[in-house]
Amino acid sequence: QVQLVESGGGLVQPGGSLRLSCAASGSIFSINAMGWYRQAPGKQRELVAAITSGGSTNYADSVKGRFTISRDNAKNTVYLQMNSLKPEDTAVYYCNAELELAAGYEYDYWGQGTQVTVSS
């Protein structure tokens, strides 16, 4: 069974840091782009950061300079290092990955979500 499993969320004070991890498991041929999205209460899900298989990245303007996305292709894992966290970063964070289960057959997968709360 192919799945994405996230970890690393929690409660942190403003200015603090957290690191999210997302590991893809199962019978996977290859992984293309991976990314992190977030959804705050009453708001739409939004892209936070994404990274291609070649390592190119893009970020939402609201997190540029504070968050860093990276991936370990050997471990099928994507990370999101979040520094200088603000209360407005509070949301459920979801991992997303474009997984090829066989050559040419790409599917969009989502993790179950992990809560990040920034509060004093």
Side-chain angles (χ1 to χ4, degrees):
Q1 180 181 1
V2 175
Q3 59 180 348
L4 301 179
V5 178
E6 301 152 350
S7 60
L11 172 64
V12 64
Q13 291 186 342
S17 299
L18 282 175
R19 189 192 194 209
L20 305 183
S21 300
C22 171
S25 63
S27 181
I28 300 169
F29 178 73
S30 68
I31 303 177
N32 297 325
M34 304 182 83
W36 290 94
Y37 289 71
R38 67 186 181 188
Q39 187 166 19
K43 294 187 176 182
Q44 290 188 328
R45 190 173 298 189
E46 62 175 358
L47 175 67
V48 176
I51 185 168
T52 68
S53 58
S56 297
T57 60
N58 69 288
Y59 296 91
D61 288 342
S62 59
V63 307
K64 282 181 181 176
R66 300 188 297 123
F67 291 9
T68 302
I69 189 170
S70 62
R71 64 190 283 172
D72 184 335
N73 292 329
K75 295 181 178 180
N76 288 347
T77 300
V78 63
Y79 305 96
L80 185 68
Q81 177 66 44
M82 305 185 292
N83 299 329
S84 302
L85 282 160
K86 304 175 181 179
E88 51 264 43
D89 294 318
T90 296
V92 178
Y93 284 69
Y94 296 91
C95 174
N96 173 265
E98 298 172 351
L99 305 181
E100 282 193 48
L101 305 188
Y105 290 85
E106 183 181 279
Y107 301 90
D108 207 33
Y109 278 80
W110 292 89
Q112 78 283 4
T114 185
Q115 177 69 46
V116 171
T117 302
V118 185
S119 175
S120 55

